[in-house]
Amino acid sequence: MKKFSFTKANRILKRTEYIALSRKGKKIHTHYFLAVYQTGTTHQNRLGITVTKKVGNAVTRNQIKRYVREFFRLNQQCLEGVWDINVIAKKQAAGTPSEKVYPDLRKLFKTINFRERTQLKNS
């Protein structure tokens, strides 16, 4: 069960890490999310989640964060390599059921893997 856990070591915690990621990271846009990612600074994948007040009230923001955390927890082993990823929710994510959110997050993960493979081939 350890590979499906989401511990403190799997989280981006410090503001300086978020800022560094936003400056140096690559961006991916989907309908509900924007993801900023870069090669990991630790030995495991890490996730940061940003949901601003523009997206909705506290209940809505917390629901989106739960969806993202749960998806990451169950699918982080699908990522090739080690990544720091900040998932930023767009306004369209508010009130959206998990059945629509999860395919969007899956698309983010596939794009990260595809870009990494393409970059390695071109190197």
Side-chain angles (χ1 to χ4, degrees):
M1 290 303 279
K2 186 168 170 103
K3 79 175 181 180
F4 292 115
S5 65
F6 187 68
T7 63
K8 205 169 194 176
N10 294 110
R11 300 176 192 171
I12 300 173
L13 298 171
K14 299 185 181 192
R15 183 173 190 274
T16 55
E17 294 172 332
Y18 278 98
I19 292 170
L21 183 58
S22 68
R23 286 187 182 152
K24 298 177 187 175
K26 298 174 187 169
K27 294 178 179 158
I28 302 170
H29 290 271
T30 62
H31 186 69
Y32 299 116
F33 298 101
L34 162 68
V36 182
Y37 69 97
Q38 72 177 8
T39 305
T41 55
T42 62
H43 63 281
Q44 56 191 347
N45 292 315
R46 295 190 315 156
L47 176 70
I49 305 169
T50 305
V51 186
T52 65
K53 287 185 179 181
K54 291 179 183 178
V55 173
N57 62 17
V59 173
T60 303
R61 293 192 309 268
N62 288 332
Q63 182 181 42
I64 293 168
K65 289 188 271 187
R66 278 194 304 273
Y67 288 160
V68 174
R69 276 194 303 267
E70 182 69 5
F71 182 83
F72 181 79
R73 185 182 72 80
L74 295 173
N75 295 287
Q76 65 182 325
Q77 72 278 0
C78 297
L79 289 169
E80 298 171 9
V82 178
W83 300 100
D84 287 347
I85 304 169
N86 183 21
V87 177
I88 304 167
K90 294 182 180 180
K91 287 182 184 179
Q92 294 89 343
T96 306
S98 61
E99 296 84 30
K100 291 187 178 182
V101 169
Y102 289 159
D104 215 46
L105 291 168
R106 191 169 291 113
K107 183 178 177 183
L108 288 175
F109 278 32
K110 284 183 180 180
T111 305
I112 291 171
N113 284 334
F114 175 75
R115 286 187 179 177
E116 176 62 17
R117 274 187 254 134
T118 313
Q119 189 177 30
L120 287 175
K121 286 181 182 177
N122 293 336
S123 298

